[in-house]
Structure formats: C-alpha cells, structure tokens
Amino acid sequence: MKRLQNSPLQLLFLLLLLFSFTAMACQLGSALEATPTPRTRDDDDDDGDEPEPTQEPEPTPDPDDNGNTGNTNSGDVVPIERLQAATVQIFAKQTINGRLQTIWTGSGTIVSPDGVILTNAHVAAPTAPGLATLYNDPELLFGDEPDQLVVALSASADQPPTETYIAELVAADGALDLAVIKVTADLNGNALDLGSLNLPFVEIGNSDEIGLGEEIRILGYPGAGGETITFTRGNVAGFESQNRVGDRAWIKTDATISPGNSGGLGVNSAGQIIGVPSFGQEAIGGAINRLRAINYALPMLEAAEVSNSYASPYIVPGTGQETFNLITWADDFSDADQCPVGPRNSYPSNTTLAVAVFEFSGLTDGQQILVAWWLGEEIMSTSVFEWNEGAAGDCTAFYFHNYGDPIPNGNYAVEIYAGDGLEFVGLAETAVGSSTANNSGNTGNTNSGSKDGVLVEGEIVDADSGKPLSGAVIFILQPGTDLDAWLDDPTDAEVYTYAETDQKGYFFLPQPLQRGVEYPGVAGLTGYYNTDGFLAFTDEDPDSIYLTLELSK
C-alpha cells in the first residue's frame, strides 16, 4: 500500500492517478458528446466589438414538408435559420499559467430572450452530483469545474460562431445530465441589461407528445463538423426509462449526434425543443443516440426563471453509516444471494476471476458507490454506480476478471467508498500466484479475512480537548514486523489492515485481527505525535472491540 504512504491522510486522492483532466467534461469514451479539443481562439481579445444578434425572439412556427414556414417567397426567415441563431457553442475555460484557455466545448440552446441557455451538465457542470453515476465514469468525480463559461453565437451557417457573452451556471442536475446557464456579461466583464437583450430563442415543446417514427432535427457544434454549425435529421427510434426518473426519460434517435453536439438542440417538426442531445452508443449496423426528454428540464428552467435555487430530486444521499465487512474471498458467488462459492484466502496462478464477498449495513438504495481495484500500486479498474441491494445484507460480491483470460499475478486490493463525500468504507486484500489454496480454501495466511477474529472499531480524539479527529489514520502491521523499522521505512507488504477516521473521528478496521496473535500498530495525524503499540486478543475477548485512541500535539 505505498499508495497510502504517499499521502495516508488523503486516501481518495490516489484515484486521481487514473485520470487526466485537461479534457475532462466531454471525453467519456463513446458516451458523451462534447468536443475536448476545440480550435484555437484568441482569449486575450478584449476589444468587445463583436456584433450582437438582431433576430426577433419569435418561437418557431410550423414548417411545411420542405422545412419552410409560411410563404418563403415573401422573404420570411426559414426555421433552420431561426434554430441556428438560437443554437450556441459553449466554451469551458480554465486559467492556466495566468491565462484563460479553452479546455472543452459543447453546445446549448437559448430558451428565453434574456439569455437563459439549456445544455448538458457534463458541458457546464461536470462534477454535478449524480453525473458520474449516470455514466459510470469515476473521472467525473475528480474533475475541475470551468473557471468561466463563454457563449458563442452564430450569425451565419457558413461562418464560425463568435464568442459574445460570459455566462454563469444557474442550475445543474447530474442525474439528468442537464444544466441551465444564463448570460451575465460581455467578454470584457461588463454587466448586461438582460431585459433588452432580445436574443433569438426556441420554444419549449412537450416531449410526451412526440411519437415513434416522428422526425427529429439536431443542431450543434460537433468537432467532426468543423468550426461551423452542423444540422442532422432522423427519426424517433424509441424511448427509455430511467430508475427514479421516470418513463420516456430518454428519446432514442437514429439522427447523427457526434462529440460536441452535447447540450445542443433537438426539435420536432414544429421547431420546438423536445430533447437535449446527450450521448450515443455505437452498435453493429449503426448507432442509436439519446436525447434527454425536455419535460424533465422544466423544473430547472422554472427555477432559473424566478432565480430560485434548484436541488435534484433524483439524488439519494448517503447515511454516513455505511459499512462493508469482508466475509471471504471466493472462486465465485451465487447468483441467487451473492454469497461465496468456494471460499479461499488467495488464488493460484492462471486464476481468471477474483471475488470478494462482503456483508454490509447502513446503505440506502440509490446512493452512489465507488469500487476501485488495485494490483499493487496500479489502478486496474473503477466503477461508480447506484446501490440497489437494500439497507443491509449478509452477502454482496465484487469481482475482478480479465474477460476469461488469467489475471496477472500479484497483490490485489478492492476498496469501497460510499456516501455523499465517498468516504472509505471497506477493503479486502488477496494474492494471486503467491500461494496455492488447499481443499478447505485455507492457505495459512493470517490475512484471512474470516469472521473468526476480532473486529476492531473506535475513535481517535485530541488528547487535550477530547474532540474527535477527522482524517487520522491507523495502520495495523503484519505480526512480527519491527515497528520502529517500519516507521523509518514503511512498505506496503508489512501492512495488515488500515483505516481513516471520518468527520466524527470514527474508524473501522475492515480486516479482523486473529486471536492469539500480536499485531504492531500506529495511529497518526499531521500536526500530532504518533501513538504506537501492540494489539493482541485471546479467546476470552469479545468478537468486537471498541478502542479510543488519543493523539497529542
């Protein structure tokens, strides 16, 4: 666990080793659709003379079969031009070396003449709660919010949009992957008279009224389309529900949606916005793309209209009491109850599957859980998902595989994080290739993870005030380890188990301590002297021990 030694008081930061955040918000494999590497723009151009659009803020009327409205011979603006004018490109900028630079781009739609814009959360608010869980992308948990959002408007379909306004985030819902931003200033930072903006906008439609096979038109700024706006069309290919959100949460379409279209405009044949392009999935024979149905954005837009705060009704908070205690490693687990099949402590070479089975408590269905698998100091895989197995249970299984091929030999660890702040709540460690289990599954390794030992929990407090200490770490070392030597030169091989205290100073050691065995241990926190010593339990001790440890400055 050298990863713990690097910064034992900040365990979660190690997951950052997985990720590169310079192009974070819009590069989620094939899932999300914004463009992370936009064309170069002159961010220092502060002349502020870019022209503002002059289109009248009229909702788009019904088109005819050719996509025109009214009498096109009279010179009336056709719907595509109106829709183009209300479709914007959003530049997410961060300050790098003292200068604002574009890090990613996406699309958006103006939905009111005073500059309210609807887009995706992964474009404008990539760390919005629920977003990482929606797409099972832990990178979103640790990314950076943009320092500035710049809105670019298009005056002509054959010209790139012009950066015109600075916008601020008004509301975001990660569970929906939606965000509302509003223009507030020109590029020089001068406040705008929003009542006189009179921007072109698109009328809100009713996504419940669109039917299978109806036409959908898509506008946005995908990277594949160059620097100018891109228009595609297709049909409604179906609908998908989403847990806790509802039916018709997603509109499926065969219309092309490419990276950069994220947050853009999806309209029906009447020119009304009925969906926000959000993500696509490639499949044999083509692709099916998805739009977030516009009806689910209405509460956010209503809150923005009256300047009220918005909180997602789809985010399930943690309890703060989540625990995962290892039962055993196993060859497999039962589909019926997830309990172990073929319990063991470690695995021989050529193993294709490693399974850790835990008992759990303090959970809430719908809350987010993060599971990280390590091989030595290397992150092998991570997943973040919604919990759906109830508040407590005897068995839940987490497994690591290599798609049927043997997994590499070495020391494995699975770490579990839960709750709003993704607190560390469980750990299991095993070895592959270092020992061969006998028929009973017992290798004689003291790190057995069985429930035969003593479970240790407790609190770490300030010795003078008695106040709980958050972020303190307790390490229990392998029996026989020279404690003083380990403190001088810590190594992961000599760590038996460890824990970090929560905000209330509470800790729980995920591995039980075997009876009749003496374990060296140390507790510490930056700014305090370490407390060290030995723990040993006999057959007379209870199965669970609560310790109170004090640290002095």
Side-chain angles (χ1 to χ4, degrees):
M1 287 178 288
K2 292 181 181 177
R3 56 187 183 280
L4 302 178
Q5 299 162 25
N6 290 337
S7 181
L9 307 180
Q10 298 294 334
L11 303 180
L12 275 176
F13 103 98
L14 294 159
L15 295 180
L16 298 179
L17 297 175
L18 255 185
F19 313 123
S20 173
F21 303 118
T22 56
M24 192 281 313
C26 305
Q27 197 161 14
L28 303 181
S30 61
L32 304 185
E33 312 301 340
T35 304
T37 53
R39 61 193 174 92
T40 303
R41 291 176 177 265
D42 185 1
D43 293 313
D44 293 333
D45 184 0
D46 295 328
D47 57 19
D49 293 330
E50 289 87 343
E52 295 188 2
T54 58
Q55 291 89 340
E56 291 296 322
E58 300 179 21
T60 303
D62 291 343
D64 61 21
D65 291 340
N66 295 318
N68 299 323
T69 60
N71 182 1
T72 58
N73 294 327
S74 68
D76 292 341
V77 177
V78 296
I80 295 302
E81 294 179 351
R82 291 184 184 276
L83 299 175
Q84 166 216 318
T87 305
V88 303
Q89 190 170 28
I90 299 172
F91 292 83
K93 298 175 181 281
Q94 291 178 348
T95 301
I96 300 175
N97 297 325
R99 182 174 180 269
L100 277 173
Q101 299 184 33
T102 299
I103 306 302
W104 64 82
T105 69
S107 303
T109 302
I110 304 173
V111 294
S112 72
D114 59 350
V116 174
I117 297 170
L118 182 63
T119 184
N120 278 141
H122 76 261
V123 173
T127 62
L131 185 60
T133 305
L134 176 64
Y135 294 118
N136 187 16
D137 195 321
E139 177 178 343
L140 293 168
L141 296 169
F142 307 104
D144 294 325
E145 293 290 319
D147 295 326
Q148 187 180 87
L149 296 171
V150 172
V151 176
L153 283 75
S154 171
S156 173
D158 58 3
Q159 296 293 321
T162 301
E163 294 186 25
T164 307
Y165 299 120
I166 296 172
E168 292 183 355
L169 180 68
V170 177
D173 192 323
L176 297 176
D177 193 8
L178 290 177
V180 177
I181 66 175
K182 190 169 186 177
V183 299
T184 57
D186 62 21
L187 291 184
N188 294 318
N190 300 314
L192 299 171
D193 179 5
L194 300 181
S196 64
L197 276 181
N198 205 29
L199 294 175
F201 69 98
V202 177
E203 183 181 65
I204 303 294
N206 185 345
S207 54
D208 286 344
E209 293 181 350
I210 194 167
L212 191 68
E214 291 190 33
E215 182 184 83
I216 288 181
R217 292 179 287 172
I218 308 294
L219 288 93
Y221 292 90
E227 298 180 352
T228 55
I229 197 166
T230 297
F231 166 83
T232 59
R233 75 170 75 210
N235 300 309
V236 174
F239 306 93
E240 287 185 6
S241 62
Q242 182 179 333
N243 186 33
R244 294 196 321 281
V245 174
D247 296 333
R248 297 172 70 108
W250 297 104
I251 300 172
K252 297 188 292 185
T253 179
D254 57 358
T256 300
I257 300 176
S258 301
N261 268 125
S262 285
L265 177 58
V267 295
N268 58 16
S269 59
Q272 300 169 324
I273 180 172
I274 50 84
V276 178
S278 298
F279 78 103
Q281 289 180 331
E282 297 292 333
I284 297 175
I288 294 296
N289 299 303
R290 287 158 177 81
L291 299 87
R292 174 63 71 189
I294 193 64
N295 287 15
Y296 291 99
L298 297 181
M300 300 178 64
L301 294 171
E302 292 168 359
E305 183 179 359
V306 296
S307 300
N308 283 345
S309 60
Y310 172 86
S312 173
Y314 310 111
I315 303 298
V316 177
T319 66
Q321 303 299 318
E322 299 90 346
T323 61
F324 286 81
N325 300 323
L326 180 69
I327 298 174
T328 185
W329 289 89
D331 292 325
D332 205 341
F333 61 94
S334 167
D335 291 335
D337 57 13
Q338 296 199 39
C339 286
V341 175
R344 59 166 57 246
N345 299 319
S346 60
Y347 297 85
S349 296
N350 297 318
T351 293
T352 60
L353 180 69
V355 179
V357 181
F358 293 82
E359 60 182 4
F360 59 91
S361 62
L363 279 294
T364 301
D365 280 348
Q367 75 172 101
Q368 68 177 359
I369 300 291
L370 172 66
V371 176
W373 283 88
W374 296 79
L375 173 56
E377 296 180 356
E378 179 184 1
I379 280 279
M380 300 300 289
S381 72
T382 57
S383 61
V384 57
F385 56 91
E386 291 183 355
W387 181 257
N388 63 0
E389 297 182 29
D394 294 330
C395 298
T396 187
F398 302 109
Y399 59 91
F400 181 78
H401 67 94
N402 191 26
Y403 303 98
D405 293 329
I407 61 178
N409 289 348
N411 295 319
Y412 284 81
V414 55
E415 298 175 340
I416 308 170
Y417 300 83
D420 300 343
L422 285 176
E423 300 294 334
F424 175 77
V425 295
L427 168 72
E429 296 176 289
T430 191
V432 175
S434 63
S435 61
T436 302
N438 57 30
N439 293 333
S440 67
N442 183 5
T443 64
N445 188 335
T446 59
N447 189 3
S448 66
S450 72
K451 295 194 293 183
D452 296 333
V454 176
L455 294 173
V456 178
E457 60 182 332
E459 60 183 341
I460 300 179
V461 301
D462 184 290
D464 296 324
S465 66
K467 292 182 178 180
L469 297 177
S470 173
V473 176
I474 177 171
F475 289 94
I476 303 300
L477 306 183
Q478 295 284 359
T481 300
D482 186 320
L483 180 58
D484 291 333
W486 186 86
L487 290 172
D488 291 335
D489 183 22
T491 60
D492 64 317
E494 295 172 309
V495 175
Y496 175 77
T497 189
Y498 71 94
E500 181 183 15
T501 58
D502 63 15
Q503 294 181 346
K504 297 180 180 180
Y506 173 81
F507 70 87
F508 175 83
L509 293 174
Q511 294 286 79
L513 276 61
Q514 303 303 306
R515 302 175 189 276
V517 178
E518 186 177 71
Y519 295 88
V522 58
L525 177 64
T526 300
Y528 288 81
Y529 290 107
N530 291 338
T531 292
D532 56 54
F534 296 85
L535 287 175
F537 302 105
T538 69
D539 292 339
E540 305 301 320
D541 288 311
D543 293 338
S544 179
I545 296 291
Y546 193 95
L547 301 178
T548 298
L549 304 178
E550 296 182 346
L551 298 181
S552 300
K553 290 187 175 181

